[in-house]
Amino acid sequence: MKDLKDQLSEIKNNKDVKNESIKNDEQSAQMVKQAIKDDQALSAVARDIQVTVKDGTVTLDGEVATEQQLNLATNTATAVAVDDKVKNRIEVTHNK
């Protein structure tokens, strides 16, 4: 049976892992946002693309004008994402 000191140490370590994961998610989100912004073909719509990262999975939300922009945003995020996990929820608005 673990003593209280060991239990507290384990809780602290789990908390540190979670905090590190949050930092990594925030860093990943910033890297993906910057990569989208830096891409000349996406720079005009970059502000319309929201990037979130949770547990290493990148999620893209928003609207773009063309299928090409959608694909480029997905490819850019996949290239930057640590684990290549990207959920694309971007909508193409040229049909609306």
Side-chain angles (χ1 to χ4, degrees):
M1 182 176 212
K2 295 179 182 177
D3 67 7
L4 183 58
K5 185 177 178 180
D6 289 338
Q7 288 175 334
L8 289 174
S9 178
E10 190 172 297
I11 290 169
K12 182 184 180 309
N13 288 338
N14 287 340
K15 186 177 178 183
D16 289 345
V17 167
K18 185 175 182 178
N19 286 340
E20 187 63 32
S21 176
I22 290 169
K23 287 180 189 176
N24 288 339
D25 285 348
E26 291 171 358
Q27 290 170 341
S28 293
Q30 288 302 318
M31 288 171 45
V32 172
K33 287 176 191 178
Q34 190 64 48
I36 289 172
K37 184 179 173 183
D38 289 346
D39 190 305
Q40 289 184 344
L42 292 172
S43 61
V45 295
R47 69 185 179 289
D48 299 324
I49 299 173
Q50 291 77 47
V51 178
T52 56
V53 181
K54 182 169 181 172
D55 298 328
T57 299
V58 176
T59 302
L60 303 175
D61 287 293
E63 296 180 348
V64 295
T66 68
E67 193 78 27
Q68 181 183 12
Q69 289 172 327
L70 181 143
N71 292 332
L72 187 54
T74 303
N75 292 340
T76 300
T78 301
V80 175
V82 174
D83 294 326
D84 294 339
K85 294 187 271 182
V86 176
K87 290 182 187 176
N88 188 337
R89 300 191 308 203
I90 295 174
E91 294 183 33
V92 177
T93 59
H94 73 283
N95 291 331
K96 293 183 179 180

XYZ file of all heavy atoms in Angstrom:
737
model
N 0.844 -1.186 0.000
C 0.000 0.000 0.000
C 0.889 1.249 0.000
O 1.870 1.317 0.733
C -0.910 -0.027 1.222
C -1.852 1.121 1.302
S -2.947 0.905 2.709
C -4.371 1.674 2.062
N 0.529 2.194 -0.830
C 1.324 3.420 -0.923
C 1.053 4.311 0.274
O -0.080 4.426 0.732
C 0.954 4.186 -2.197
C 1.298 3.463 -3.464
C 0.879 4.288 -4.654
C 1.174 3.534 -5.927
N 0.721 4.249 -7.101
N 2.112 4.952 0.731
C 1.901 5.903 1.803
C 1.458 7.239 1.217
O 1.454 7.444 0.000
C 3.141 6.037 2.684
C 4.332 6.665 1.970
O 4.181 7.135 0.828
O 5.423 6.681 2.569
N 1.052 8.133 2.065
C 0.514 9.424 1.643
C 1.507 10.205 0.804
O 1.146 10.813 -0.205
C 0.089 10.231 2.876
C -0.556 11.578 2.601
C -1.798 11.403 1.734
C -0.919 12.282 3.889
N 2.782 10.164 1.175
C 3.810 10.890 0.423
C 3.893 10.380 -1.016
O 3.966 11.169 -1.961
C 5.151 10.747 1.127
C 6.254 11.558 0.496
C 7.532 11.428 1.296
C 8.645 12.201 0.629
N 9.898 12.113 1.364
N 3.854 9.052 -1.196
C 3.890 8.474 -2.543
C 2.651 8.847 -3.347
O 2.729 9.146 -4.536
C 4.024 6.950 -2.481
C 5.402 6.509 -2.020
O 6.357 7.300 -2.142
O 5.504 5.362 -1.538
N 1.497 8.840 -2.682
C 0.251 9.195 -3.361
C 0.282 10.654 -3.819
O -0.113 10.969 -4.940
C -0.942 8.962 -2.441
C -1.253 7.499 -2.222
C -2.362 7.294 -1.209
O -2.568 8.137 -0.337
N -3.058 6.184 -1.327
N 0.757 11.536 -2.950
C 0.838 12.955 -3.307
C 1.826 13.178 -4.440
O 1.582 13.979 -5.353
C 1.233 13.796 -2.085
C 0.176 13.927 -1.002
C 0.737 14.647 0.216
C -1.057 14.638 -1.525
N 2.931 12.464 -4.413
C 3.927 12.564 -5.475
C 3.332 12.105 -6.802
O 3.540 12.733 -7.840
C 5.154 11.731 -5.120
O 6.088 11.784 -6.159
N 2.565 11.024 -6.772
C 1.938 10.509 -7.988
C 0.918 11.501 -8.541
O 0.856 11.745 -9.745
C 1.261 9.176 -7.680
C 0.786 8.441 -8.905
C 0.296 7.058 -8.553
O 1.105 6.238 -8.077
O -0.906 6.807 -8.758
N 0.129 12.100 -7.658
C -0.852 13.114 -8.081
C -0.137 14.300 -8.709
O -0.540 14.800 -9.756
C -1.721 13.558 -6.884
C -2.650 12.416 -6.473
C -2.517 14.817 -7.222
C -3.355 12.642 -5.152
N 0.947 14.756 -8.082
C 1.705 15.879 -8.623
C 2.265 15.545 -9.997
O 2.198 16.351 -10.921
C 2.848 16.269 -7.682
C 3.656 17.463 -8.170
C 4.820 17.746 -7.246
C 5.633 18.925 -7.690
N 6.070 18.929 -9.054
N 2.802 14.340 -10.163
C 3.343 13.933 -11.454
C 2.256 13.894 -12.519
O 2.476 14.323 -13.653
C 4.038 12.573 -11.353
C 5.347 12.659 -10.602
O 5.946 13.723 -10.492
N 5.774 11.537 -10.052
N 1.077 13.386 -12.186
C -0.038 13.360 -13.141
C -0.454 14.774 -13.517
O -0.756 15.051 -14.668
C -1.226 12.592 -12.565
C -0.984 11.100 -12.523
O -0.133 10.588 -13.234
N -1.719 10.408 -11.680
N -0.466 15.666 -12.542
C -0.802 17.064 -12.807
C 0.241 17.697 -13.717
O -0.092 18.427 -14.641
C -0.914 17.834 -11.489
C -1.391 19.248 -11.657
C -1.553 19.932 -10.316
C -1.979 21.371 -10.496
N -2.072 22.085 -9.229
N 1.521 17.393 -13.473
C 2.589 17.929 -14.315
C 2.439 17.437 -15.749
O 2.640 18.195 -16.695
C 3.968 17.530 -13.778
C 4.323 18.256 -12.483
O 3.653 19.263 -12.153
O 5.255 17.807 -11.812
N 2.091 16.164 -15.924
C 1.885 15.607 -17.263
C 0.736 16.325 -17.946
O 0.826 16.695 -19.118
C 1.621 14.081 -17.187
C 1.109 13.551 -18.507
C 2.880 13.354 -16.766
N -0.361 16.552 -17.222
C -1.505 17.252 -17.804
C -1.128 18.684 -18.183
O -1.471 19.157 -19.259
C -2.683 17.257 -16.831
C -3.930 17.869 -17.416
C -5.108 17.747 -16.491
C -6.336 18.346 -17.155
N -7.511 18.221 -16.335
N -0.413 19.378 -17.304
C 0.012 20.748 -17.611
C 0.928 20.782 -18.817
O 0.829 21.677 -19.652
C 0.707 21.382 -16.395
C -0.267 21.755 -15.300
O -1.459 21.888 -15.540
N 0.235 21.891 -14.100
N 1.818 19.805 -18.926
C 2.715 19.735 -20.079
C 1.917 19.489 -21.351
O 2.197 20.068 -22.397
C 3.767 18.643 -19.872
C 4.832 18.623 -20.934
C 5.662 19.897 -20.976
O 5.884 20.530 -19.935
O 6.086 20.275 -22.082
N 0.903 18.641 -21.247
C 0.050 18.364 -22.401
C -0.675 19.629 -22.842
O -0.777 19.911 -24.033
C -0.964 17.268 -22.044
O -1.846 17.051 -23.119
N -1.167 20.394 -21.875
C -1.854 21.649 -22.205
C -0.890 22.605 -22.886
O -1.223 23.231 -23.894
C -2.468 22.276 -20.938
C -3.649 21.424 -20.463
C -2.910 23.715 -21.198
C -4.172 21.787 -19.099
N 0.334 22.714 -22.355
C 1.341 23.583 -22.978
C 1.614 23.126 -24.407
O 1.700 23.942 -25.315
C 2.636 23.577 -22.170
C 2.570 24.333 -20.878
C 3.904 24.251 -20.165
C 3.821 24.817 -18.772
N 5.077 24.650 -18.038
N 1.776 21.816 -24.594
C 2.049 21.300 -25.929
C 0.885 21.568 -26.872
O 1.091 21.889 -28.038
C 2.352 19.797 -25.876
C 3.710 19.519 -25.265
O 4.576 20.381 -25.226
N 3.876 18.317 -24.765
N -0.354 21.427 -26.385
C -1.518 21.713 -27.214
C -1.533 23.185 -27.618
O -1.790 23.518 -28.777
C -2.812 21.363 -26.479
C -3.076 19.866 -26.402
O -2.384 19.092 -27.101
O -3.985 19.470 -25.651
N -1.250 24.066 -26.663
C -1.229 25.499 -26.970
C -0.133 25.823 -27.978
O -0.350 26.607 -28.908
C -1.037 26.311 -25.681
C -2.235 26.262 -24.766
C -1.966 26.869 -23.401
O -0.818 27.314 -23.133
O -2.895 26.886 -22.588
N 1.022 25.212 -27.802
C 2.128 25.436 -28.736
C 1.777 24.902 -30.121
O 2.048 25.555 -31.127
C 3.405 24.782 -28.216
C 3.985 25.470 -27.010
C 5.110 24.682 -26.363
O 5.254 23.490 -26.566
N 5.914 25.368 -25.566
N 1.158 23.745 -30.174
C 0.756 23.160 -31.456
C -0.249 24.058 -32.159
O -0.147 24.287 -33.362
C 0.151 21.764 -31.253
O 1.117 20.864 -30.798
N -1.213 24.561 -31.409
C -2.222 25.450 -31.993
C -1.564 26.696 -32.577
O -1.884 27.108 -33.698
C -3.268 25.832 -30.942
N -0.631 27.278 -31.837
C 0.058 28.473 -32.331
C 0.873 28.169 -33.583
O 0.895 28.972 -34.527
C 0.962 29.059 -31.238
C 0.207 29.733 -30.121
C -0.674 30.864 -30.616
O -0.296 31.653 -31.471
N -1.880 30.937 -30.082
N 1.511 27.016 -33.602
C 2.313 26.646 -34.778
C 1.429 26.450 -36.012
O 1.778 26.898 -37.105
C 3.113 25.374 -34.478
C 4.249 25.602 -33.506
S 5.074 24.095 -32.919
C 5.300 23.149 -34.386
N 0.290 25.800 -35.838
C -0.620 25.580 -36.966
C -1.196 26.910 -37.437
O -1.234 27.190 -38.641
C -1.737 24.586 -36.594
C -2.799 24.515 -37.689
C -1.157 23.197 -36.326
N -1.631 27.756 -36.495
C -2.163 29.077 -36.859
C -1.141 29.876 -37.660
O -1.474 30.493 -38.668
C -2.554 29.865 -35.601
C -3.790 29.380 -34.926
C -4.032 30.176 -33.648
C -5.116 29.552 -32.813
N -5.340 30.281 -31.558
N 0.109 29.866 -37.193
C 1.156 30.616 -37.873
C 1.420 30.054 -39.263
O 1.610 30.805 -40.225
C 2.439 30.632 -37.047
C 3.478 31.588 -37.565
C 3.016 33.034 -37.507
O 2.507 33.492 -36.490
N 3.189 33.768 -38.587
N 1.434 28.744 -39.398
C 1.686 28.120 -40.699
C 0.578 28.477 -41.687
O 0.849 28.761 -42.862
C 1.797 26.604 -40.548
N -0.655 28.501 -41.224
C -1.776 28.876 -42.094
C -1.657 30.350 -42.479
O -1.828 30.716 -43.645
C -3.123 28.570 -41.404
C -3.333 27.055 -41.353
C -4.281 29.265 -42.110
C -4.527 26.606 -40.526
N -1.347 31.183 -41.523
C -1.197 32.622 -41.781
C -0.057 32.900 -42.756
O -0.158 33.771 -43.613
C -0.943 33.349 -40.460
C -0.860 34.834 -40.579
C -0.635 35.457 -39.203
C -0.384 36.942 -39.326
N -0.088 37.548 -38.024
N 1.041 32.141 -42.639
C 2.216 32.360 -43.473
C 2.041 31.861 -44.905
O 2.789 32.265 -45.789
C 3.446 31.692 -42.861
C 3.921 32.397 -41.605
O 3.482 33.534 -41.337
O 4.738 31.791 -40.877
N 1.081 30.979 -45.132
C 0.856 30.443 -46.476
C 0.139 31.501 -47.308
O -0.965 31.924 -46.975
C 0.018 29.163 -46.396
C -0.048 28.447 -47.725
O -0.453 29.083 -48.722
O 0.298 27.256 -47.767
N 0.763 31.942 -48.399
C 0.190 33.020 -49.219
C -1.197 32.683 -49.750
O -2.051 33.555 -49.868
C 1.123 33.369 -50.369
C 2.374 34.079 -49.910
C 3.249 34.501 -51.080
O 3.093 34.030 -52.192
N 4.184 35.391 -50.815
N -1.438 31.420 -50.058
C -2.739 31.021 -50.588
C -3.828 31.013 -49.507
O -5.012 31.007 -49.828
C -2.646 29.641 -51.232
N -3.423 31.043 -48.239
C -4.395 31.030 -47.142
C -4.420 32.324 -46.339
O -5.323 32.525 -45.525
C -4.082 29.872 -46.182
C -4.290 28.476 -46.720
C -3.764 27.448 -45.723
C -5.763 28.222 -47.016
N -3.462 33.192 -46.561
C -3.332 34.377 -45.713
C -4.600 35.233 -45.697
O -4.961 35.790 -44.662
C -2.120 35.216 -46.117
O -2.247 35.668 -47.450
N -5.313 35.290 -46.817
C -6.533 36.108 -46.885
C -7.677 35.517 -46.066
O -8.555 36.249 -45.612
C -6.971 36.280 -48.336
N -7.671 34.210 -45.860
C -8.757 33.562 -45.113
C -8.293 33.044 -43.748
O -9.080 32.452 -43.008
C -9.396 32.408 -45.918
C -10.084 32.923 -47.161
C -8.387 31.332 -46.235
N -7.038 33.275 -43.409
C -6.486 32.748 -42.152
C -7.297 33.198 -40.947
O -7.510 32.427 -40.011
C -5.023 33.146 -42.001
N -7.783 34.426 -40.977
C -8.559 34.931 -39.843
C -9.902 34.224 -39.707
O -10.552 34.283 -38.665
C -8.744 36.438 -39.947
C -9.648 36.861 -41.085
C -9.730 38.371 -41.246
N -10.574 38.758 -42.345
C -10.292 38.609 -43.635
N -9.149 38.064 -43.992
N -11.139 38.991 -44.564
N -10.345 33.563 -40.772
C -11.621 32.851 -40.765
C -11.478 31.384 -40.353
O -12.470 30.658 -40.296
C -12.270 32.912 -42.150
C -12.564 34.344 -42.575
O -12.920 35.164 -41.705
O -12.423 34.648 -43.768
N -10.255 30.958 -40.089
C -9.998 29.569 -39.705
C -9.581 29.546 -38.238
O -8.587 30.148 -37.852
C -8.891 28.942 -40.575
C -9.306 28.939 -42.050
C -8.575 27.522 -40.097
C -8.203 28.501 -43.001
N -10.385 28.864 -37.420
C -10.058 28.721 -36.010
C -9.337 27.384 -35.812
O -9.751 26.365 -36.358
C -11.329 28.736 -35.141
C -12.031 30.094 -35.093
C -12.823 30.380 -36.354
O -13.570 29.526 -36.812
N -12.657 31.565 -36.917
N -8.283 27.434 -35.029
C -7.477 26.252 -34.757
C -7.514 25.981 -33.260
O -7.198 26.857 -32.462
C -6.011 26.457 -35.194
C -5.169 25.240 -34.860
C -5.924 26.791 -36.678
N -7.913 24.775 -32.904
C -7.846 24.340 -31.513
C -7.119 23.003 -31.471
O -7.151 22.242 -32.437
C -9.237 24.189 -30.879
O -10.024 23.283 -31.665
C -9.953 25.530 -30.772
N -6.460 22.753 -30.366
C -5.760 21.478 -30.183
C -6.102 20.954 -28.800
O -5.990 21.680 -27.805
C -4.231 21.636 -30.326
C -3.547 20.287 -30.161
C -3.861 22.252 -31.668
N -6.544 19.726 -28.757
C -6.830 19.072 -27.477
C -6.284 17.660 -27.533
O -6.588 16.906 -28.459
C -8.326 19.048 -27.186
C -8.635 18.416 -25.853
C -10.042 18.600 -25.433
C -10.180 17.936 -24.060
N -11.421 18.178 -23.444
N -5.465 17.338 -26.558
C -4.830 16.016 -26.475
C -4.120 15.655 -27.769
O -4.149 14.510 -28.216
C -5.851 14.935 -26.108
C -6.480 15.173 -24.742
O -5.782 15.720 -23.871
O -7.654 14.818 -24.553
N -3.512 16.661 -28.400
C -2.717 16.436 -29.597
C -3.492 16.440 -30.901
O -2.900 16.415 -31.974
N -4.811 16.469 -30.838
C -5.624 16.476 -32.055
C -5.955 17.913 -32.439
O -6.524 18.665 -31.652
C -6.935 15.679 -31.856
O -6.596 14.326 -31.549
C -7.797 15.713 -33.109
N -5.596 18.273 -33.664
C -5.854 19.614 -34.194
C -7.252 19.627 -34.816
O -7.593 18.745 -35.597
C -4.813 19.984 -35.274
C -5.137 21.335 -35.896
C -3.409 19.968 -34.703
N -8.046 20.628 -34.452
C -9.365 20.798 -35.054
C -9.406 22.144 -35.760
O -9.052 23.170 -35.181
C -10.483 20.725 -33.995
O -10.393 19.468 -33.318
C -11.854 20.856 -34.637
N -9.819 22.110 -37.012
C -9.972 23.321 -37.819
C -11.452 23.606 -37.975
O -12.225 22.728 -38.367
C -9.351 23.124 -39.199
C -7.879 22.722 -39.253
C -7.459 22.455 -40.694
C -7.007 23.798 -38.638
N -11.858 24.832 -37.675
C -13.232 25.279 -37.848
C -13.214 26.569 -38.637
O -12.221 27.296 -38.628
C -13.892 25.567 -36.490
C -14.227 24.310 -35.720
O -15.107 23.566 -36.186
O -13.613 24.083 -34.664
N -14.318 26.870 -39.296
C -14.437 28.134 -39.995
C -14.969 27.961 -41.395
O -15.552 26.929 -41.739
N -14.758 28.986 -42.196
C -15.244 28.994 -43.568
C -14.158 29.499 -44.502
O -13.411 30.419 -44.159
C -16.475 29.896 -43.697
C -17.664 29.419 -42.906
C -18.865 30.324 -43.046
O -18.729 31.459 -43.571
O -19.956 29.909 -42.626
N -14.085 28.875 -45.664
C -13.193 29.322 -46.730
C -14.007 29.375 -48.017
O -15.098 28.806 -48.102
C -11.968 28.388 -46.897
C -11.082 28.436 -45.656
C -12.377 26.967 -47.195
N -13.466 30.039 -49.035
C -14.209 30.244 -50.271
C -14.133 29.064 -51.233
O -15.046 28.862 -52.030
C -13.714 31.511 -50.966
N -13.046 28.306 -51.170
C -12.860 27.253 -52.178
C -12.444 25.926 -51.552
O -11.899 25.876 -50.448
C -11.769 27.652 -53.197
O -10.496 27.665 -52.530
C -12.051 29.003 -53.836
N -12.685 24.874 -52.307
C -12.255 23.534 -51.913
C -10.724 23.480 -51.822
O -10.163 22.799 -50.964
C -12.770 22.527 -52.944
C -12.677 21.093 -52.507
C -13.769 20.685 -51.539
O -14.863 21.266 -51.562
O -13.505 19.763 -50.745
N -10.057 24.219 -52.699
C -8.594 24.256 -52.684
C -8.079 24.826 -51.363
O -7.121 24.306 -50.785
C -8.074 25.076 -53.861
C -6.560 25.145 -53.922
C -6.054 26.029 -55.061
O -6.807 26.763 -55.674
N -4.758 25.946 -55.323
N -8.709 25.890 -50.868
C -8.299 26.472 -49.587
C -8.543 25.483 -48.443
O -7.722 25.364 -47.541
C -9.053 27.778 -49.325
C -8.613 28.910 -50.221
C -9.488 30.134 -50.085
O -10.693 30.036 -49.835
N -8.880 31.298 -50.252
N -9.654 24.774 -48.503
C -9.955 23.765 -47.491
C -8.874 22.695 -47.471
O -8.338 22.351 -46.409
C -11.328 23.135 -47.757
C -11.776 22.071 -46.760
C -13.273 22.180 -46.528
C -11.444 20.688 -47.277
N -8.542 22.176 -48.640
C -7.515 21.137 -48.733
C -6.147 21.650 -48.295
O -5.391 20.944 -47.619
C -7.439 20.572 -50.150
C -8.673 19.785 -50.524
O -9.345 19.214 -49.669
N -8.990 19.759 -51.801
N -5.830 22.868 -48.672
C -4.541 23.446 -48.299
C -4.459 23.651 -46.788
O -3.422 23.370 -46.176
C -4.318 24.762 -49.037
C -2.950 25.402 -48.892
C -1.832 24.436 -49.259
C -2.864 26.647 -49.761
N -5.531 24.117 -46.182
C -5.545 24.292 -44.723
C -5.355 22.955 -44.018
O -4.591 22.843 -43.057
C -6.851 24.945 -44.283
N -6.026 21.927 -44.525
C -5.894 20.588 -43.943
C -4.470 20.071 -44.092
O -3.877 19.550 -43.134
C -6.867 19.601 -44.611
O -8.188 20.103 -44.473
C -6.779 18.225 -43.986
N -3.918 20.198 -45.277
C -2.552 19.725 -45.531
C -1.529 20.487 -44.695
O -0.570 19.896 -44.188
C -2.211 19.827 -47.011
C -3.013 18.864 -47.853
O -3.556 17.878 -47.358
N -3.125 19.160 -49.142
N -1.733 21.786 -44.547
C -0.820 22.602 -43.743
C -0.879 22.166 -42.282
O 0.153 21.979 -41.643
C -1.180 24.098 -43.875
O -1.061 24.476 -45.253
C -0.269 24.967 -43.030
N -2.086 21.992 -41.767
C -2.240 21.563 -40.372
C -1.638 20.181 -40.163
O -0.964 19.938 -39.158
C -3.709 21.567 -39.979
N -1.849 19.283 -41.108
C -1.314 17.925 -40.989
C 0.214 17.938 -41.000
O 0.855 17.187 -40.267
C -1.845 17.028 -42.123
O -3.283 17.008 -42.051
C -1.326 15.613 -42.013
N 0.791 18.815 -41.811
C 2.253 18.898 -41.884
C 2.855 19.419 -40.583
O 3.959 19.033 -40.217
C 2.664 19.799 -43.046
N 2.127 20.263 -39.887
C 2.637 20.881 -38.670
C 2.268 20.069 -37.430
O 3.015 20.037 -36.460
C 2.113 22.331 -38.536
C 2.521 22.955 -37.215
C 2.615 23.173 -39.704
N 1.125 19.388 -37.463
C 0.634 18.651 -36.293
C 1.630 17.576 -35.878
O 2.198 16.887 -36.722
C -0.716 18.020 -36.604
N 1.791 17.440 -34.593
C 2.767 16.503 -34.049
C 2.424 15.064 -34.410
O 3.259 14.308 -34.858
C 2.865 16.676 -32.514
C 3.766 15.623 -31.913
C 3.355 18.068 -32.171
N 1.180 14.685 -34.231
C 0.783 13.300 -34.475
C -0.034 13.132 -35.754
O -0.659 12.098 -35.959
C -0.043 12.768 -33.296
C 0.780 12.673 -32.031
O 1.988 12.387 -32.137
O 0.222 12.868 -30.946
N -0.051 14.133 -36.610
C -0.827 14.101 -37.853
C -2.308 13.860 -37.612
O -3.007 13.364 -38.488
C -0.294 13.023 -38.818
C 1.099 13.341 -39.322
O 1.486 14.516 -39.279
O 1.780 12.411 -39.768
N -2.802 14.199 -36.424
C -4.224 14.045 -36.126
C -4.910 15.388 -36.362
O -4.725 16.328 -35.604
C -4.442 13.588 -34.685
C -3.924 12.187 -34.403
C -4.323 11.731 -33.015
C -3.265 12.150 -32.030
N -3.518 11.717 -30.663
N -5.701 15.449 -37.439
C -6.383 16.694 -37.785
C -7.848 16.399 -38.078
O -8.161 15.519 -38.884
C -5.726 17.376 -39.010
C -6.503 18.624 -39.411
C -4.274 17.723 -38.719
N -8.727 17.133 -37.411
C -10.157 17.085 -37.708
C -10.484 18.362 -38.471
O -10.224 19.458 -37.991
C -10.996 17.060 -36.432
C -10.927 15.796 -35.646
C -11.860 15.916 -34.452
C -11.712 14.750 -33.519
N -12.557 14.911 -32.317
N -11.048 18.211 -39.642
C -11.372 19.379 -40.451
C -12.876 19.591 -40.434
O -13.631 18.778 -40.936
C -10.889 19.193 -41.889
C -11.040 20.466 -42.688
O -11.841 21.333 -42.351
N -10.277 20.581 -43.732
N -13.287 20.703 -39.832
C -14.707 21.071 -39.804
C -14.923 22.400 -40.540
O -15.878 23.109 -40.280
C -15.194 21.152 -38.356
C -15.039 19.807 -37.628
C -15.725 19.751 -36.303
N -15.380 20.850 -35.407
C -15.491 20.801 -34.096
N -15.912 19.720 -33.511
N -15.167 21.834 -33.347
N -14.026 22.694 -41.470
C -14.142 23.909 -42.272
C -15.214 23.706 -43.334
O -15.321 22.641 -43.920
C -12.792 24.253 -42.959
C -11.732 24.588 -41.897
C -12.947 25.411 -43.929
C -10.346 24.803 -42.478
N -15.982 24.746 -43.580
C -17.008 24.718 -44.621
C -16.561 25.575 -45.800
O -15.958 26.616 -45.627
C -18.334 25.240 -44.094
C -18.945 24.361 -43.030
C -20.292 24.889 -42.581
O -21.017 25.477 -43.406
O -20.611 24.694 -41.402
N -16.880 25.102 -46.996
C -16.624 25.876 -48.213
C -17.877 26.682 -48.496
O -18.972 26.126 -48.589
C -16.277 24.934 -49.402
C -16.075 25.751 -50.671
C -15.055 24.116 -49.069
N -17.724 28.004 -48.653
C -18.894 28.889 -48.771
C -19.228 29.279 -50.193
O -20.220 29.948 -50.422
C -18.662 30.181 -47.963
O -17.502 30.828 -48.466
C -18.494 29.870 -46.494
N -18.439 28.851 -51.184
C -18.714 29.307 -52.561
C -20.045 28.777 -53.092
O -20.606 29.329 -54.020
C -17.585 28.929 -53.514
C -17.521 27.481 -53.862
N -17.021 26.534 -53.003
C -17.911 26.805 -54.982
C -17.084 25.330 -53.571
N -17.619 25.470 -54.765
N -20.594 27.744 -52.472
C -21.878 27.203 -52.915
C -23.056 27.871 -52.216
O -24.190 27.611 -52.539
C -21.942 25.692 -52.633
C -20.979 24.929 -53.518
O -20.689 25.350 -54.624
N -20.472 23.830 -53.005
N -22.770 28.732 -51.250
C -23.854 29.353 -50.489
C -24.313 30.620 -51.139
O -23.657 31.289 -51.828
C -23.393 29.644 -49.043
C -23.146 28.363 -48.287
C -22.770 28.699 -46.860
C -22.532 27.420 -46.079
N -22.161 27.679 -44.712
